[in-house]
Structures are given as structure tokens and as C-alpha cells.
Amino acid sequence: MWKFINSLFGLEVDEETETWVKEGAFLVDVRTPEEFNAGHVSGSVNIPLDTISEQLRLFKNKERIVVFCRTGRRSGIAMDFLNKNGIHPVRNGKQWTTINKLVEH
């Protein structure tokens, strides 16, 4: 039931994003360092949204990138910015807690 409710609000990730996570995509948490330190996905890197423009080199030559945050809003902005700057492929993983569940299982 929760999966259905989450899908109504756009909180669930699609199958392709789920596959990417399970196959070892470059996982990027775009929340603030304080948010990241309070809890984060194992193996993810913290590149806050407001520093992405200065950190583009970290995204170069990555096969698959999944960005995420607390609600999916900042990660959506990050994905759009990366795409506009020639960084592909990038998926919006939306909530870090959802990505965390995928990584833990």
C-alpha cells in the first residue's frame, strides 16, 4: 500500500533508477553537509547543490549517476543542471531514504 501511495506523490524511483543503484551507480547526495552527516547512504558522496557548478569534474566519465536529497526537489535541480552541462546519464533518485533502502537490500 505504501508503495502505491508513494508512487502517487512521485516518491518512488522508477525501475531503471533502481537498477542503476543496485548495479553501483555513482551516488550523489546533494543535501547540505549537516544533513549528510545526520544520516546518509553508504557509499554515497556529498556534493551539495550549491557547489555542483564548482565540482563538475567529479561527474566526468561516470557511467551512471544518481542524485538525491531529502524530498527530490534539489536533486531534480541538480539533474537538470548536470544535463545542461553535458553530464549524462543522470537520474533523479529523489529521496535519500528511498535510495538508502535500495542500497541496504
Side-chain angles (χ1 to χ4, degrees):
M1 179 169 129
W2 286 113
K3 187 168 184 135
F4 173 74
I5 291 171
N6 285 338
S7 70
L8 287 176
F9 291 100
L11 302 177
E12 287 293 317
V13 296
D14 58 48
E15 287 182 33
E16 187 172 7
T17 302
E18 185 174 339
T19 298
W20 284 20
V21 170
K22 290 180 179 179
E23 292 179 351
F26 182 52
L27 302 177
V28 182
D29 188 325
V30 299
R31 298 177 300 152
T32 66
E34 294 79 17
E35 289 173 296
F36 184 82
N37 290 334
H40 60 272
V41 176
S42 178
S44 66
V45 297
N46 182 220
I47 305 174
L49 178 61
D50 63 352
T51 68
I52 283 184
S53 62
E54 303 155 12
Q55 305 292 330
L56 283 176
R57 72 186 186 295
L58 299 175
F59 295 91
K60 300 284 185 185
N61 302 316
K62 300 296 185 199
E63 201 170 305
R64 295 175 174 171
I65 301 166
V66 176
V67 293
F68 50 90
C69 61
R70 184 176 58 85
T71 65
R73 186 185 67 79
R74 287 176 282 181
S75 53
I77 295 167
M79 181 183 74
D80 290 342
F81 178 81
L82 292 169
N83 286 329
K84 288 177 184 172
N85 283 277
I87 306 295
H88 305 284
V90 182
R91 306 287 298 185
N92 182 357
K94 301 176 184 166
Q95 296 181 321
W96 80 271
T97 52
T98 301
I99 301 301
N100 195 45
K101 289 176 189 170
L102 294 174
V103 168
E104 288 180 347
H105 290 92

